[in-house]
Amino acid sequence: MDVSHLLDQLNDAQREAVTADEGHVLVLAGAGSGKTRVLVHRIAWLIQVHHVSPMGLLAVTFTNKAAGEMRHRVGKLLNLRPDGLWIGTFHGICHRMLRMHAAEVGLPETFQILDSDDQYRLIRRVIRDMELDEGEFPARQMQGFINHHKEEGRRPGDIECFDHAFQARQLAIYQHYQDYCERSGLIDFAELLLRTLELLRDSDARRAHYQDRFGHILIDEFQDTNTLQYALVRLLAGSKNQLFVVGDDDQSIYGWRGAKVENVVHFDRDFSPKVVRLEQNYRSTATILEAANRVIDHNAERMGKNLWTEGEKGEALKLFTAFNAEEEAEFVIARIQDWMEQGGRASETAILYRSNAQSRLFEQVLLREEIPYRVYGGLRFFERAEVKDAMAYLRLVHNPHDDPAFERVINLPARGIGERTVALIRDHARRQGQSLFEAARSLCESGGFTARAGNAVAGFLALIGELTDEYGQAGLGEAMQAAIDRAELADWYRSREPADRAEAREENLAELVRAAESFTQPFEDEQAGLSPTASFLAQAALEAGEHQGERWQDCVQLMTLHSAKGLEFPLVFMAGMEEGLFPHQKSAEEPGRLAEERRLCYVGMTRAMQQLVLSHAESRMIHGQTNFSRPSRFLSEIPAELVEELRPGRPRVAPAQSHGGAPQDAEGLSLGTTVRHPRFGLGTVVTIEGQGANARIQINFESAGSKWLVLGYASLERVG
DNA sequence: TTTCCAGCCCTTTTT
DNA sequence: GGGCTGGAAA
């Protein structure tokens, strides 16, 4: 068989990884070195050359987006849909296994996944039920405590308690929370993994089954695996299956949420894999790579890697020092306008920052300049309050014992069921070991409520009952619509929120109905015996959807450095390069955390394809107070010869001109000249950088403010 | 029961 | 500076 199409487009190192024979493989894949390509081609290679059945392959990624892309690319390369091939996230794959063996792991058929918000609310509920001080045991912190232990594979009984009253209470909260989940058929994200691990560990039959099935296991972003995930991988691998692991220790930026870079080293030790390094970069200019390499060099304990490229040297990095954060934002947006003036697209530019709060200033300027932009982060579709409200009704129809769903909508919209009444239901439920739904019903029947509350609760129960009865014949979309209509959710938002806010919520509800209507159950879910509703609910929890709908628009991309991982842009800005902000204050003290900040810097720098612009402000408002800070230490780790410093804003001659060149170009523009621009009108030349058609000049326009323009493109007319 | 305001917190995020 | 929470007032 001709397999040249699988190898043609690969370089030597990539080919070595793709065609590796027997044994495990560890691919250390630098940024922009084509790791997804290697994974995709490896899968195709195994299927077409080694005739491995797609059924015998398991490919694991960290995000649904990555899984989707891999699935798509494998299909395209093989020119068919590889049915039976399991490609998914750790959580998605564990979920599927648990559905197939629900009874065996002690879960009801209708078990529901708790997302972090559900989990947080439930933990807060538990703490209140236990009558503990919420100041001493903040729910956020307890959520961290529980998830941390679960991710290390520890049940409450596995945690050593040194007879500390405080520690004992923390454990009690974990235990109560867990009991609550068991009772209501709920499972949080970490539990998906832990339950699966226990299933494979404790059941010889199941372990044997999956070990026999998956002869080849491929894992992406291995540096992001946590303890539980690595344990799962080891269990699934057994003694004979082949692991193909791709990762980059230099891009490990999630240590703070339990990821263990050490797993890369442990893998090397535990499995003695063939190690392949992908160091040729296909993304950035040589200058950008050199700068990034030099920064990451300051980290100790690296596995060692040096990115190189056959491509252009490219321009020097730019460094801008702003007086304050406002000026920094003005500068960045002016450079983007400049880029667009020259024919660049807004979507080719990204503004990266360390913390979300930094986006505000950029948004203000972008809004004023009427440049479309998109901010990553924030709430995603299925995390929006109105969507969760409507989904809670569907959850109750699917499983009335879903207490978090019950709590969410028992009085939403307000139907006169207050805290006292709900407390009564909770209390009854706890004493009877029932769900809130059952407790409410039995209290209704036994007349345990006041007349007023009783009517209200009966009304709510009847509503759920009606929806349940009708749902039998209806499709998912109709059921969703019915729930929204009957509950009168839209009226509720309209009655208590400003019109634009309420309208946005209504639009989201309409979108939710559309999503339900067009939902097609994944083939694998159907095989695992899930009902379409169960599939839909699970997917909403596991895959919360897009941050914002308008992807299509050509707009500037704003995001944190963390969310930029895996992406690339021709023009990248890294803003807020200041000590205290980046590296962040809270990470600066510990060497390990500082190293992670430096990796974050490396990740940011390697996003840039053509141009990288770094900026810092001498002062900025943080928490309502003006802070003064020094430039980030990472800036000083970049060799000076790779950086061009810009200091516009101050009326000062640019460096290029101080070397004797006349501060004037062929068209006779000089500082102070008045010019006319077709769009921006009249303005005064403030700064000139460079010469000839490539010269960049800053002009203070009378009405449009300060702009940076490239002389060759700007069609300026000299006035007077 | 609902609504409003003062006081609290404040790094990064996917599942 | 701004978003969320909980306690106090209507």
Side-chain angles (χ1 to χ4, degrees):
Chain A
M1 178 177 193
D2 179 25
V3 292
S4 56
H5 67 289
L6 295 181
L7 303 177
D8 281 352
Q9 316 144 30
L10 304 180
N11 65 34
D12 289 346
Q14 291 173 334
R15 196 171 301 169
E16 188 186 352
V18 167
T19 61
D21 284 331
E22 291 299 294
H24 308 293
V25 180
L26 169 61
V27 181
L28 293 173
S33 65
K35 75 180 171 72
T36 309
R37 168 176 291 191
V38 165
L39 272 166
V40 167
H41 283 247
R42 174 67 176 181
I43 291 172
W45 179 263
L46 289 172
I47 293 174
Q48 292 200 327
V49 178
H50 289 261
H51 305 292
V52 175
S53 158
M55 295 277 287
L57 284 168
L58 176 66
V60 193
T61 61
F62 271 82
T63 65
N64 291 295
K65 197 171 147 207
E69 189 185 339
M70 205 189 296
R71 181 178 294 281
H72 173 77
R73 285 173 65 171
V74 168
K76 209 166 125 192
L77 188 61
L78 291 176
N79 210 12
L80 54 87
R81 211 184 104 191
D83 273 325
L85 170 61
W86 278 27
I87 299 182
T89 61
F90 273 105
H91 292 85
I93 283 158
C94 288
H95 173 244
R96 199 177 295 161
M97 289 187 183
L98 293 180
R99 286 287 174 192
M100 291 196 278
H101 312 295
E104 204 171 326
V105 295
L107 286 170
E109 293 283 325
T110 55
F111 77 82
Q112 169 69 27
I113 302 168
L114 285 184
D115 69 15
S116 346
D117 181 57
D118 296 332
Q119 186 190 36
Y120 169 75
R121 286 156 174 266
L122 180 50
I123 290 170
R124 200 172 53 179
R125 177 80 265 135
V126 166
I127 293 169
R128 287 177 188 173
D129 283 352
M130 291 171 73
E131 292 174 350
L132 290 170
D133 176 8
E134 288 179 71
E136 200 182 348
F137 300 93
R140 279 276 162 239
Q141 220 166 292
M142 291 314 302
Q143 186 179 22
F145 173 85
I146 292 171
N147 288 339
H148 171 72
H149 282 298
K150 283 197 181 189
E151 276 159 15
E152 293 296 317
R154 291 191 286 265
R155 295 293 184 189
D158 302 326
I159 301 166
E160 272 190 74
C161 185
F162 303 100
D163 201 33
H164 250 278
F166 180 75
Q167 236 180 346
R169 287 204 191 126
Q170 284 190 314
L171 275 184
I173 294 170
Y174 181 2
Q175 185 66 60
H176 273 94
Y177 163 76
Q178 198 57 40
D179 293 344
Y180 202 120
C181 290
E182 301 290 335
R183 214 167 42 235
S184 305
L186 300 166
I187 187 161
D188 60 50
F189 288 131
E191 187 74 22
L192 284 168
L193 305 180
L194 183 50
R195 233 10 120 92
T196 307
L197 182 82
E198 289 169 346
L199 171 73
L200 295 176
R201 185 192 62 199
D202 301 338
S203 161
D204 294 339
R206 296 301 169 210
R207 189 172 60 251
H209 170 79
Y210 286 109
Q211 284 181 350
D212 284 345
R213 171 166 177 181
F214 297 123
H216 292 269
I217 300 167
L218 302 92
I219 300 153
D220 193 12
E221 305 275 20
F222 196 72
Q223 76 283 352
D224 288 340
T225 50
N226 62 27
T227 304
L228 214 42
Q229 287 159 340
Y230 187 47
L232 261 171
V233 168
R234 293 178 55 150
L235 263 183
L236 282 169
S239 56
K240 56 189 194 307
N241 296 328
Q242 289 185 41
L243 293 172
F244 188 90
V245 157
V246 181
D248 181 0
D249 53 322
D250 290 334
Q251 291 190 72
S252 162
I253 55 174
Y254 287 116
W256 52 273
R257 67 174 196 209
K260 296 280 191 310
V261 214
E262 311 89 272
N263 283 348
V264 181
V265 180
H266 292 167
F267 179 72
D268 197 27
R269 179 196 65 199
D270 296 343
F271 291 91
S272 315
K274 172 193 185 78
V275 178
V276 181
R277 282 183 165 75
L278 304 183
E279 297 175 289
Q280 183 175 1
N281 174 289
Y282 296 93
R283 178 184 294 152
S284 312
T285 65
T287 305
I288 292 169
L289 289 183
E290 168 72 4
N293 279 334
R294 295 290 288 269
V295 169
I296 199 69
D297 250 356
H298 286 78
N299 272 359
E301 295 178 44
R302 297 173 58 213
M303 300 203 69
K305 215 169 359 65
N306 216 36
L307 293 179
W308 60 277
T309 178
E310 285 178 347
E312 302 269 311
K313 188 157 169 272
E315 304 178 39
L317 277 58
K318 307 287 185 287
L319 173 62
F320 179 70
T321 303
F323 297 126
N324 54 33
E326 285 76 15
E327 196 199 28
E328 179 185 47
E330 297 284 349
F331 164 78
V332 169
I333 307 311
R335 293 288 302 211
I336 290 175
Q337 285 176 317
D338 200 8
W339 172 266
M340 291 166 72
E341 278 294 299
Q342 295 174 57
R345 297 171 68 83
S347 58
E348 290 166 342
T349 68
I351 306 173
L352 310 184
Y353 37 79
R354 177 65 236 265
S355 66
N356 286 306
Q358 285 171 261
S359 76
R360 215 188 84 246
L361 289 173
F362 294 106
E363 290 185 70
Q364 280 172 2
V365 181
L366 285 162
L367 223 46
R368 190 192 70 209
E369 298 296 318
E370 298 183 343
I371 300 173
Y373 65 91
R374 181 186 139 148
V375 189
Y376 281 66
L379 286 189
R380 296 154 76 198
F381 185 72
F382 281 100
E383 290 166 353
R384 292 173 186 280
E386 64 276 20
V387 174
K388 294 209 71 167
D389 293 342
M391 291 290 282
Y393 281 94
L394 191 65
R395 277 167 63 175
L396 278 178
V397 168
H398 180 65
N399 169 21
H401 309 306
D402 187 333
D403 284 357
F406 185 95
E407 291 243 15
R408 187 171 186 107
V409 293
I410 173 74
N411 197 34
L412 192 148
R415 46 175 72 85
I417 302 172
E419 188 48 39
R420 287 177 63 91
T421 309
V422 179
L424 205 65
I425 300 173
R426 270 190 219 113
D427 195 52
H428 188 80
R430 198 160 354 135
R431 272 187 282 110
Q432 304 293 313
Q434 290 175 324
S435 66
L436 294 175
F437 192 90
E438 288 171 307
R441 190 159 51 197
S442 74
L443 279 170
C444 259
E445 283 162 4
S446 66
F449 295 119
T450 59
R452 204 185 159 97
N455 280 335
V457 173
F460 176 70
L461 297 178
L463 171 63
I464 300 299
E466 276 170 47
L467 290 171
T468 310
D469 292 342
E470 284 168 32
Y471 173 65
Q473 309 99 49
L476 207 47
E478 281 170 81
M480 200 74 252
Q481 185 70 60
I484 293 166
D485 291 345
R486 295 293 182 84
E488 298 174 339
L489 284 177
D491 289 341
W492 166 246
Y493 302 125
R494 224 176 298 135
S495 73
R496 61 201 310 273
E497 289 184 323
D500 53 337
R501 193 83 197 84
E503 271 165 39
R505 293 201 194 273
E506 277 179 69
E507 267 169 47
N508 284 328
L509 289 179
E511 181 60 40
L512 176 61
V513 173
R514 277 195 292 279
E517 264 165 9
S518 62
F519 178 73
T520 41
Q521 193 178 22
F523 173 69
E524 296 83 2
D525 277 11
E526 202 183 322
Q527 271 196 323
L530 270 82
S531 72
T533 312
S535 265
F536 185 65
L537 291 172
Q539 210 178 86
L542 284 177
E543 199 170 335
E546 281 297 318
H547 283 292
Q548 266 141 58
E550 306 95 51
R551 295 212 77 161
W552 44 270
Q553 239 199 335
D554 176 32
C555 48
V556 177
Q557 314 287 305
L558 274 71
M559 67 190 84
T560 62
L561 288 155
H562 281 91
S563 22
K565 190 170 149 211
L567 305 176
E568 60 179 28
F569 307 93
L571 172 58
V572 167
F573 296 89
M574 286 172 69
M577 300 292 295
E578 294 140 39
E579 282 295 302
L581 189 56
F582 188 41
H584 198 275
Q585 197 62 55
K586 294 191 176 175
S587 304
E589 290 110 33
E590 244 177 282
R593 307 197 61 186
L594 180 64
E596 185 158 305
E597 294 281 300
R598 189 175 281 108
R599 293 193 291 265
L600 189 57
C601 184
Y602 174 78
V603 165
M605 295 175 78
T606 52
R607 299 308 97 195
M609 300 162 80
Q610 295 166 24
Q611 256 192 63
L612 177 58
V613 183
L614 307 152
S615 59
H616 67 102
E618 286 165 345
S619 74
R620 80 168 62 230
M621 291 275 265
I622 293 178
H623 309 322
Q625 291 205 308
T626 306
N627 281 44
F628 294 87
S629 43
R630 303 169 53 76
S632 168
R633 70 190 73 189
F634 301 144
L635 291 174
S636 60
E637 293 170 1
I638 304 172
E641 64 270 23
L642 302 177
V643 182
E644 179 191 343
E645 287 200 43
L646 308 173
R647 282 184 82 96
R650 279 160 229 216
R652 159 183 123 145
V653 182
Q657 291 152 18
S658 57
H659 298 168
Q664 205 175 46
D665 80 314
E667 287 172 59
L669 294 182
S670 58
L671 297 182
T673 308
T674 305
V675 294
R676 188 197 309 278
H677 184 271
R679 224 174 80 215
F680 302 127
L682 290 178
T684 310
V685 176
V686 179
T687 318
I688 302 179
E689 258 181 50
Q691 271 140 56
N694 284 326
R696 299 180 62 262
I697 61 179
Q698 188 187 27
I699 301 167
N700 261 334
F701 288 103
E702 283 172 14
S703 50
S706 166
K707 310 262 180 200
W708 277 95
L709 303 172
V710 168
L711 200 54
Y713 297 89
S715 55
L716 290 169
E717 184 194 331
R718 200 183 155 150
V719 180

